[in-house]
Structure formats: structure tokens, C-alpha cells
Amino acid sequence: MATRKPKTGDRARKPAHPHSADEIDLLVELDSKVQWLSAWTIHHANAVRPNRDGLKVGGHQASSASLATIMSALYFSVLRPSDRVAVKPHASPAFHAVQYLLGNQAHDQLERFRALGGAQSYPSRTKDLDDVDFSTGSVGLGVAITAFASITQDYLIAKNRLPGDMGRMIALLGDAELDEGNIYECLIEGTKHDLRNTWWIVDYNRQSLDAVTQDRMFTRFAEIFEATGWHVVTLKYGKLLQDAFQRPGGEDLRTWIDACPNDLYAALTYQGGAAWRAQLMADMGHRNSVAALVASYDDEALHGLMTNLAGHDMEMLLETFHDIRSETPHLFIAYTVKGRGMPFEGHKDNHAGLMNAAQMEAHRATAGIAPGQEWERFAGLPRAAEAYEAFLAAIPFAQRRDRRFDAPAVPLPDVAAFPCPAGPQSTQVAFGKILNEIARARSDLADAIVTTSPDVTVSTNLGGWVNQRGIFSRSGREDRFREHNVVSSQKWAMSPGGQHIELGIAENNLFLALGALGLSHSLFGTRLLPVGTLYDPFINRGLDALNYACYQDARFMLAATPSGVTLAPEGGAHQSIHTPLIGMAQDKLIYFEPAFADELAVIMRFGFEHMQAEDGGSVYLRLSSRTLDQPDRAMSVDLRRDILAGAYWRVAPAPDTKLVIVYCGALAPEAETAFGRLLEDLPGAGLLAVTSPDLLHLGWQKRMRVMGGRALSHVETILAPLATDAVIVTLIDGHPATLSWLGSVGGHRVAPLGVERFGQSGDLPDLYRVYGLDSEAIVDGVAAAFTA
């Protein structure tokens, strides 16, 4: 895209921003303070604070400097309280500095930057004390979630459930983040959902961690974004350069800059005014007008001119951002200098560079900061502190101090009234039936649920829910098949009232959507209960985004199905092995794997409760497509309690029993068959159903950390009747490590059965035999354990 050219009469025309010339100067002064504080915070952490382990603390002085002016323009003028921002990870110190000036960050937090209990290395909505909207750190994900937050906001608006003002969802990103594939998956999804009110502002410093980026990439980025419906604004030249272009020789200077390779521009930026002069004269000195233009600047002024990019020009940024009235998503490509104003500005190795003590002293002198006043909010600035305080108190962003909502909990049906389907079925089918019954009930719970799936809605049994509740679309669209009397079991009408968000086949988008929907109570003041479905093996394809959603403390229910080699004919690419271990290892996510419909009903109700608890989190249901006969039993209070604790006895063992068979999920029939055969030789054996290896392990670990004085964990209580020399056989359609740790609880021998190899196509008897999951394998495991 062509560089944005200055408008005629740029200086004289009425400014689009609401500030006088004096107020712009004040904003520039505050921006200089942001730059000082971010640099000093990093220097203090690395060179002043005691270092006990000898490790480099780190921080990104150069990356903070390149984005500081953009952040100052936004937070001190442009943003409203309803706007939400995901900050470039490496600009975290600049963000903390902005928050410190706004009174949202504490001095001690900055002093403990990257230390225990201090400001985080990357903005974190769960670990930081200041006003973080979206956690960032895994590059690209903080960008994409803003699009799904905008879709979430539109979902609430369509249902008249947005209690506050509509805001813009804004991402501040480094240009290297545009290499991340999830951004382009997100672009496609945004086009499908008519994305709006989304700004992505690129800190286009043309340097990544390892190198200077390829020339002219901004034109490719512009083409991609414009093709998906975005409006692209390229901000390249600041006001000084724009003025110079109007002088004789100015057009030649513009042409030279436009053609200058990124690496040459960066090298000259590092070398300074004399190098700029030598290069310009060597390339264009034979043109009298250019020679005269260059000669009119001394070396310092020439360096200032040649690095006067729009991303560092406060007035230019204010004009641009305040000019935007359209809801169309916008990409701003703002040219900047990495390390702006620092001794290593432009150097290709400056990504993790740190100013040394002498350089920091020179930086202090430039900032006018007296020793001992490094942390003073307005030290070194030309006005009285009261002037800055008054200005900051009046800006739009400061008009609501607490920007996090506290939405009330959604009431749930009584435990006894929660739907539980009957008859032979798989947990996958039972999941769909439970949601279908909830949808029919017309309750607060039903209205709060929003489902989403990456093009596997029907095959994960969400069809009944969708038929009842419809697909969400801001603009309605009828089901053409029904209009033309084509018979189909699915009602695929789309409307603003729909409660299912259909996604394309991109698991990253699923987890980003769940992350945004699962933060609606905090971001927008309305609690949603998001439920997402996907094929269990493809959790891996979105694992980074799943981890990111949990790190945000987003609340959602994930139903992953079908699982394991039990999806027999589909072959290895569709069979999951280690997803139970992911469920156990992932923080803020509880993993369940029920075998029967009544267990699932209990777990789902708990899940909706857990998603709303102050100390709660998200829930992962690992489900199966295998149809099982359901046990004929009443759901007692004790049974319900044990299901939610992670395990219960199908057949309780006799005291000092020598054998327990433990199973998890769809392999219940094999465990039951083997158990029946072994009872003849080992009467008093026990059959244990595990519904959550995760909760069992968590409880045991908590108990191990506080030895003595604490009640036994659930798994310790469960295994207490076993003899010290008993054998435990564990069985799961997944990696055997999921359950093999049970032997460590009481020091028992374990025969762990599960899947450790890639699967293949086949039927259940063949695959269970090949992978050692059938009843014969269980009996053989018992024999081997007793003879070992």
C-alpha cells in the first residue's frame, strides 16, 4: 500500500484530536516519562537490584522504546474505559510505566519487575496488579483474541446483554508477530463473522529477535488484510519529514527513503547523523537541491529528521486515531525505530540489549532525572506535578477506575433435576442429549450457554442443541434446505438470537474463541457459559491457544470426542494417546473421563458451577463414541461426591485385598469382564472406576506438600483397604502414565495398561488385543504382576 501522504494544510487545518498545542506538548512530556520509566525499570532489575542467582533478569528496553509513543497516545488520549487492549509482550515495561502514571501500578511492583510478586515480564491479567485486559506472552495469540473478544461483544449486543458501552478491541503487536499463522486463521474467521470494532496496531520497527525483516513486507501485509475486509492505514512519516518533503529536494529524499533497504536504514540509524549525511551525499549529493536540504541540518538534527517516523510523532498518531469513525476493522502499520533514543537504536542485536551503567547515566541526564528521583512519577518534567495529575484525571480512559466487571453467577437446576439420559449410549451421545434437554428447558442456564465448534458440530453431537437454540449471526440467514423442503435433521438457520458460533477447521480459533467467551463476565459484565467441542486428538493442534486461554483464567467447558483407539476404524491420525496427560498437566483446567451417562450428568452440572466459582476454572471432558450398557443404580449423595472427587468403587474390596482393577472411561466393559474372571481366584478384589485422574492426583499432591495434620486425600482413602503387597492393574484408552502413579500412593505394585504407540485402523476386538486393552490383557497383567 502506498505510504500515507500528508494532507494539504496539515499544520493549519483543524486537528482531529481534542487537544491544543500546549496539551500535545504535555502528552509528549508524559511520553518521555513512559520511556524513562520503562528503561529504568529494566535497568534497575538487571543492574541495581541484588542478583542472588547470577542470571540475567532481562527485559526489552528497545522493544519498549519503539512502542512507547503509540501507547502514550492511546492511553492518555484515545482510549475509553470500554476499549480493551492486548499489549505487545516485549513492551510490558512501557505498559507498566503507563499504568504507573495513571495510578494503577505501584512503585514496589516496578522495583520488583520480573521478581517474585512484582510486575510481570509480560502483561498478565491474573498475575499483575495493574489494569491488564488480555495476558500476552505467546506471540500472536494476544493479537487474535481481540478479534474473538469483538465477536463476543457483538454476541452480547445482539441479545441486549451488554450492560456497558461498546468498546474497541485493540492489539498492539510487533511486526514479527505477523509471522504467526494463528493470526491469518483468525483473519479468515473474522471475515465470516463480519468482524468490527477491532484495531491492530503494528509496531513496524522492521527488526525481529534474530535479524532485520525483509524489505517491503508491509505491502504484502496490507494486501492480505485488505483482502479480508480490513482497512489498512500506513503511518510512515512524522511531521518533520512531511515538512522536509515540501522543500526543494524533498521529493528526492522521500524517494530515497522509500527505496532504502531495511537493513541499511537500521544501520544508519545506529551510526547517527554523520553516517546519514555521508550516505545521502554519496547517493544524491550531485543534486543541488538535495545537497542544500541535507546541509541545512547539523548532524544531530539530521539524525532526528531521518528517524522522525510516524510511530514516534504524537500529533500524527493523535490525528490518525481520533479520525477513525468507522466500525470496520483497522490495521495500522506504524513505522518506528527499535530502541528509539537509546545508544543501540537500530542495531540488529538490540532485541535483548541493555544499557550499561554509563549509558544509563547519560540517559538519566537527557531525561533530567536527579539521582534518588528515578521512581518519581513526574520528576524531570517541566511542569508542576499537579498539572499532569489534573490532565490524567480528566482523560477518557481514567473515567472508570475499575474496568473489570463482577457479573453474578448463573443459577443452576437442582442436582436431582439435572437431565440424565437413560438407555445404552456413549458418553458423546449422552453429552448431546444433556445439552438438548437443557436447551428445551428455557432456563437461565440454557440462556447463558453458548456453544462453538471447529466444523465438527454434528459429529460431536451438538446438533440437538443447535436445532433448539440456533446459530449466531449478526445478520439473519434462513436455512435454504428447509426453505426448499429438502429433508435434513439439522436446522441450520442463523440469527442474532442464535447460541452456537460455528467456526472453520482451525483449533487455534476454537480455543481463542473459548478464551474470549470465557472472559465475558469480566470484560463485558455478562456471564456466559461457553461449551466447545472438537475431536480429542486435535487438542494438540490448538494446544498453545488452550494454554493461553487457561492462563487468562477464561472459564469454559471443553468436550473432546471421540477419544483413544476406541475410534477404531479411523486410524492413528484420529486416535489420541497423550491427551489425558495434557488434561492432568494443564493448570486451571480439570480433566474428567466418565464411562457412563449418569457420571457425565453429575460432572457437567459441577462443571457449570466450577466455571463460575471464584477459585474455579475450566473443565475438559474426554468422551467416547463407544456405546455402553448403563448401570442400573440410584445416584446417591455419596456416589455423587465420589464421582466429583475423582473415583468410586464399582465393587468395594474386602479388607487387605490382594487385587484392585482400576479403569477410566470407555474400557469399563473390559475391566468388568476381567474382574469377574479374577474373582474366582482372588475373592475380595476391588473394581475401581476413575472419573478424574486429574483430581485424584491433585488431591494427593496437596496432601504430600503438607505432610501431617491434613486429612487423607481421596485417593489415599480409596486405596486404604489394600494389603501392602496388593497389585493394582490400571486400564485407560490413553497413555498408561495417566494412572500408573497410583502405585506410589501406598507403595503397591502396578500393572499399567494403556496406549503408547500410534494407532491403526481396525475394529475394537482387534485393536484392543493389539494394544493390550482387552480382558485377556488384564488377566495377563495380573499374572505377570503376581509373579514378578
Side-chain angles (χ1 to χ4, degrees), residues 345-356:
E345 64 176 349
H347 197 289
K348 71 181 183 70
D349 299 333
N350 67 10
H351 180 78
L354 298 172
M355 284 187 277
N356 60 34

Side-chain angles (χ1 to χ4, degrees), residues 70 201-205 233 235-236 310-311 317 332-336:
I70 293 172
I201 304 172
V202 182
D203 174 11
Y204 195 60
N205 60 43
V233 178
L235 297 167
K236 188 168 186 178
L317 293 168
F332 300 91
I333 301 176
Y335 277 71
T336 61

